[in-house]
């Protein structure tokens, strides 16, 4: 059975119900899924995508590609083989209505770059959470390339107008953001000259890997300790076949649930283990977690493994700022693991958490404090002090339209002394639409509360 939005929506309560056991698959990687749809819609020919994350964010990206002119179809493979998405690129047309991205920062930022490069006029909008998130970080470099963006204070809604062919730029990323890097690369595909991006701290590289799979030539070097990407403008993408691996950011929830719940033994199969995404797993191991990457292999240019986890006794650690880019979406669930550990866990260099789907630093601090956990935060750090016992919990947490805050506190309720409630689980379907069923199959108790 697949959880529908109605089952996830509304208030939810997670309670302690014994060990979690079994094998499961994480949904397709969100970053790779967005990129697969957008790149395919820009490519010549028909691309097939297997294992796509069919969460709300990615479905909005697919809808935007249809509106821009691409042919996007979903077929079911015979014998329960899952869905295959077939996307045929086409010259993009100016949409009549605003492209709407709901909660999805990745969708809107990547497509802003791509549309700017193609040179059609378009308007972009999103939900209340997305309207509050900074877009200047993408618009500034795009403007430097020649984009004309109207009526914007650096937030959605944003309108852009064609202004001739863009010019390539040489840009040092001020924050390690793969969304910004990708927007510039997508705009640079049709620009005059060679686009150069310098990364003092490397962030997820799925755009570079996947552009190469679509036949785009990029040169990646290291200069003075920085990763440098160079890409000539005027390149075309050619259709290909993409197989999307499981999302390590979604696998993080059952993995941490197993680590903190006594007697648990869980394997999440087929998870992307690209080193630019696995900082959480490294950190949990340093804390004492029994996590093994089994059956490691390369699939479609990305490293993949089955993640095998057992209940473990955890101790606090320092998580250095340099690691933040490789686990940027995992701090909420790490802060939950830290509440079960003995000693202090200090997470540094995480100011970016303040501009995610919610201010995650505040949301984590609020939720943990309400659960009786000793927690402190500063502008760019979070400290959680555990006594090695399950927290008291018994709190109701506000999720602020943030899927990862919702799932993190539900996981906490599975092993705390008292249940945890969240005000609204609706946003979980943006990244992990099968979360409820997957956790139920492992033995978790998560229930809808009456309105
Ligand atoms: C993403 C990049 C990250 C991450 C987001 C997905 C991507 O955002 O938080 O969930 O697919 O490029 P930033 O680029 O803002 O760090």
């Amino acid at each position: 059975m697949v959880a529908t939005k109605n089952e996830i929506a509304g208030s939810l309560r997670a309670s302690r119900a014994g060990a979690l056991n079994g094998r499961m698959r994480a949904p397709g990687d969100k970053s790779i899924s967005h990129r697969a749809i957008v790149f395919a819609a820009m490519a010549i020919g028909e691309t097939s995508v297997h294992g796509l994350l069919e969460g709300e964010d990615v479905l909005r990206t697919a809808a935007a590609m249809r509106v821009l002119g691409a042919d996007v179809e979903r077929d079911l493979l015979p014998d329960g083989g899952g869905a295959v998405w077939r996307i045929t690129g086409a010259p993009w047309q100016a949409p009549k209505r605003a492209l709407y991205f709901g909660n999805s920062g990745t969708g809107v930022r990547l497509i802003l770059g791509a549309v700017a490069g193609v040179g059609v006029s378009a308007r972009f909008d999103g939900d209340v959470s997305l309207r509050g998130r900074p877009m200047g970080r993408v618009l500034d470099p795009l403007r430097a390339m020649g984009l004309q963006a109207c009526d914007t204070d650096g937030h959605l809604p944003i309108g852009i107008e064609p202004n001739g062919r863009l010019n390539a730029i040489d840009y040092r990323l001020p924050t390690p953001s793969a969304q910004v890097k990708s927007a510039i690369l997508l705009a640079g595909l049709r620009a005059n000259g060679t686009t150069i991006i310098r990364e003092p701290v490397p962030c997820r590289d799925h755009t570079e890997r996947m552009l190469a799979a679509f036949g785009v030539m990029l040169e990646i070097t290291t200069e003075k300790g920085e990763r440098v990407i160079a890409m000539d403008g005027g390149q075309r993408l050619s259709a290909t076949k993409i197989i999307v691996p499981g999302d390590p950011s979604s696998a993080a929830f059952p993995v941490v649930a197993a680590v903190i719940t006594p007697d648990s033994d869980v394997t999440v199969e087929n998870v992307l283990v690209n080193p630019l995404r696995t900082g959480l797993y490294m950190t949990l191991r340093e804390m004492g977690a029994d996590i093994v990457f089994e059956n490691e292999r390369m699939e479609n240019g990305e490293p993949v493994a089955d993640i095998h986890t057992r209940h473990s006794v955890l101790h606090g650690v320092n998580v250095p700022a340099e690691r933040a880019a490789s686990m940027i979406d995992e701090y909420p669930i790490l802060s939950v693991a830290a509440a079960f550990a003995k000693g202090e866990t200090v997470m540094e260099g995480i100011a970016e958490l303040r501009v995610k789907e919610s201010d995650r630093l505040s949301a984590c601090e609020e939720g943990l404090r309400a659960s009786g956990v000793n927690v402190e935060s500063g502008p760019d750090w979070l400290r959680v002090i555990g006594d090695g016992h399950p927290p008291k919990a018994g709190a109701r947490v506000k999720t602020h339209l943030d899927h990862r805050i919702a799932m993190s506190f539900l996981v906490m309720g599975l092993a705390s002394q008292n249940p945890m409630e969240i005000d609204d689980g609706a946003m979980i379907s943006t990244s992990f639409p099968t979360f409820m069923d997957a956790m139920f199959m492992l033995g978790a108790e998560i229930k809808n509360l009456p309105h």
Side-chain angles (χ1 to χ4, degrees), residues 92-117:
W92 288 7
Q93 315 286 337
K96 293 195 182 65
R97 274 182 291 154
L99 299 170
Y100 182 75
F101 291 92
N103 200 245
S104 177
T106 305
V108 74
R109 291 193 178 118
L110 264 61
I111 295 167
L112 257 169
V115 171

Side-chain angles (χ1 to χ4, degrees), residues 178 181 199 201-206 208-209 227 248-249 272-280 282 302-303 322-330:
K181 169 169 67 174
E199 292 187 272
V201 180
C203 54
R204 66 189 70 190
D205 59 356
H206 310 306
E208 298 91 296
R209 288 179 190 244
R227 184 167 180 269
S249 301
L272 173 75
V273 290
N274 177 323
L276 292 169
R277 296 287 300 279
T278 48
L280 171 77
M282 181 191 288
E302 292 276 7
E322 309 80 77
R323 199 177 294 166
S326 68
M327 52 181 294
I328 196 66
D329 292 334
E330 282 68 79

